[in-house]
Amino acid sequence: MVALGNIRCTIMVEKQARSDFHDAETENQNASFVSRYVECLSGATFAVKLEINKNFVFKSESIGCYVYVDGTLANSNLVYPSQVRKASHVYIHRVSGATHREGNDRWEFRPFIFGEIKHVEEASEASDQITDIFHRNDLGSIVVKAYHVKAKASNIMYPLPPESTRLPTHSLTLWEKQLKGSNLTHTAQYGIKQDAAARQIIEVEFIDRALPFATFQFKYRSKEVLQSLLLIRRPPSPIPLERRPIESLSMEEMRTLLQRQRGNPKVELQSKGKLESTLEEQRIKHEQDVKSEQSVKRERDEELDEILASAYVKKARTAETVDLSHD
């Protein structure tokens, strides 16, 4: 979760909030802009969660929230003061996909999904193309912009956006030279379409010279890329058996190490002899421990037998004798 004043933004992956990581490239850019890295998962759905605190001060009659995915405007909504006031603490606005009008009276919704990029070595093998350098810079990003706006008119019938301005419905296959110098591993795509309710289209007027008062940028990357950027800690590498003290090795680890050394003529005989000697000591100690445990068990069994025998004799001596010959 990232905050700018009384407005916060979080990227949700499979309906779970994802941790965000510092982006040193955009540090201290300006007070109304923040950039973070987030981890993406191949084939997972994602959404934007925007939270507006009740103390937020409106400078106009509404807030215009615009969500850009890979440089494409995927969703826009208006938030009114009455909605924020009704919220118990914060007003929550979620964007999990895009709604498009298909024809004059049919609307469809498509969820956002992370798709893994397939790299090919030859340009002829690439089924997709990056049209320009600006488009490449937008790939792998989710940008949320919030504006102070004023509604002008509603139910405006805009022409249908061309397919080229929408996200793809498949994972991209790109020529690797087009991504040279980039750490991109994924792009966004649309999931399976669903029927959606009709949306009201409203024309707005931007306040403050059409400058957003808050911009949240999230660069989504794979876990491996985030580890290479030192944003996620790599799992500790196991210490090789050759570098560990012999005393800390288990018998199985000693046998494995001994097999390696026997197959390596460069290992000094002294080292091999020490390992063989230690392994033999461990074997003897193990056998002695087993014999000791067996001896203790026998002693305990003998003690138990003596206790039971003693109790039986004592019971026999104290048993009451009843003479049945008397009337």
Side-chain angles (χ1 to χ4, degrees):
M1 179 183 67
V2 189
L4 286 173
N6 286 318
I7 187 168
R8 299 177 296 190
C9 192
T10 308
I11 298 299
M12 313 288 290
V13 178
E14 294 293 341
K15 299 182 180 180
Q16 299 295 320
R18 302 300 293 184
S19 300
D20 54 78
F21 306 95
H22 182 66
D23 180 11
E25 295 178 357
T26 58
E27 190 175 15
N28 301 324
Q29 185 162 334
N30 61 66
S32 62
F33 175 89
V34 64
S35 180
R36 292 288 189 271
Y37 280 98
V38 292
E39 180 186 350
C40 62
L41 303 174
S42 299
T45 59
F46 67 91
V48 172
K49 178 182 177 182
L50 203 63
E51 299 175 83
I52 304 174
N53 192 283
K54 290 187 69 172
N55 297 326
F56 180 84
V57 178
F58 282 78
K59 293 185 179 180
S60 58
E61 64 180 39
S62 59
I63 297 172
C65 300
Y66 295 78
V67 178
Y68 297 84
V69 180
D70 291 350
T72 298
L73 177 59
N75 190 287
S76 61
N77 284 88
L78 296 182
V79 178
Y80 297 94
S82 59
Q83 294 174 292
V84 177
R85 286 195 298 267
K86 290 179 181 178
S88 58
H89 179 59
V90 294
Y91 173 78
I92 298 177
H93 174 61
R94 290 185 178 87
V95 178
S96 58
T99 302
H100 296 294
R101 181 162 45 89
E102 301 291 342
N104 294 328
D105 57 357
R106 184 163 160 264
W107 291 78
E108 292 180 347
F109 170 81
R110 288 183 178 271
F112 297 138
I113 293 179
F114 290 126
E116 187 171 359
I117 298 174
K118 180 181 179 181
H119 299 78
V120 293
E121 297 181 357
E122 301 295 334
S124 59
E125 299 175 354
S127 57
D128 303 284
Q129 297 290 331
I130 299 177
T131 55
D132 52 51
I133 189 65
F134 299 103
H135 184 207
R136 192 187 80 163
N137 291 340
D138 289 329
L139 291 178
S141 70
I142 302 167
V143 178
V144 181
K145 296 182 179 182
Y147 298 84
H148 293 291
V149 299
K150 177 182 178 182
K152 293 175 62 176
S154 62
N155 296 324
I156 304 299
M157 296 299 293
Y158 290 109
L160 293 176
E163 291 292 334
S164 60
T165 65
R166 301 186 185 185
L167 295 176
T169 56
H170 61 280
S171 297
L172 299 185
T173 301
L174 298 173
W175 185 26
E176 61 182 11
K177 286 191 176 181
Q178 286 194 304
L179 298 174
K180 189 176 182 180
S182 170
N183 56 16
L184 282 176
T185 56
H186 294 73
T187 58
Q189 64 187 66
Y190 287 144
I192 299 174
K193 62 183 178 182
Q194 310 163 22
D195 292 334
R199 295 190 62 184
Q200 184 182 27
I201 300 177
I202 300 176
E203 185 180 8
V204 299
E205 175 184 350
F206 290 90
I207 312 300
D208 294 337
R209 295 175 296 152
L211 296 176
F213 67 84
T215 300
F216 300 89
Q217 176 179 261
F218 296 92
K219 300 176 181 179
Y220 58 87
R221 299 291 188 272
S222 67
K223 183 178 182 178
E224 291 73 21
V225 169
L226 297 181
Q227 288 176 336
S228 69
L229 296 174
L230 303 181
L231 298 175
I232 294 181
R233 181 178 297 178
R234 294 180 183 273
S237 301
I239 301 175
L241 297 178
E242 291 81 0
R243 295 175 56 187
R244 288 173 54 185
I246 294 179
E247 295 76 15
S248 68
L249 300 179
S250 66
M251 291 186 66
E252 187 62 32
E253 289 173 334
M254 287 185 185
R255 291 191 185 97
T256 301
L257 181 57
L258 185 57
Q259 290 173 355
R260 292 180 188 173
Q261 293 183 347
R262 283 175 174 172
N264 185 358
K266 294 183 179 180
V267 178
E268 295 182 3
L269 294 177
Q270 183 179 359
S271 175
K272 290 183 181 179
K274 182 179 180 181
L275 181 59
E276 290 175 345
S277 174
T278 305
L279 186 58
E280 179 65 16
E281 291 174 1
Q282 290 286 347
R283 186 187 64 78
I284 295 174
K285 184 178 182 301
H286 177 70
E287 291 178 354
Q288 290 175 344
D289 291 341
V290 171
K291 290 180 180 179
S292 176
E293 290 179 2
Q294 292 175 345
S295 175
V296 170
K297 185 176 183 302
R298 280 198 304 271
E299 291 177 0
R300 288 177 179 173
D301 291 343
E302 292 173 357
E303 290 177 0
L304 181 59
D305 291 340
E306 291 178 1
I307 293 173
L308 291 175
S310 175
Y312 177 79
V313 171
K314 183 177 181 181
K315 181 178 179 181
R317 290 176 178 173
T318 59
E320 182 180 359
T321 303
V322 178
D323 188 359
L324 300 177
S325 62
H326 297 281
D327 295 332

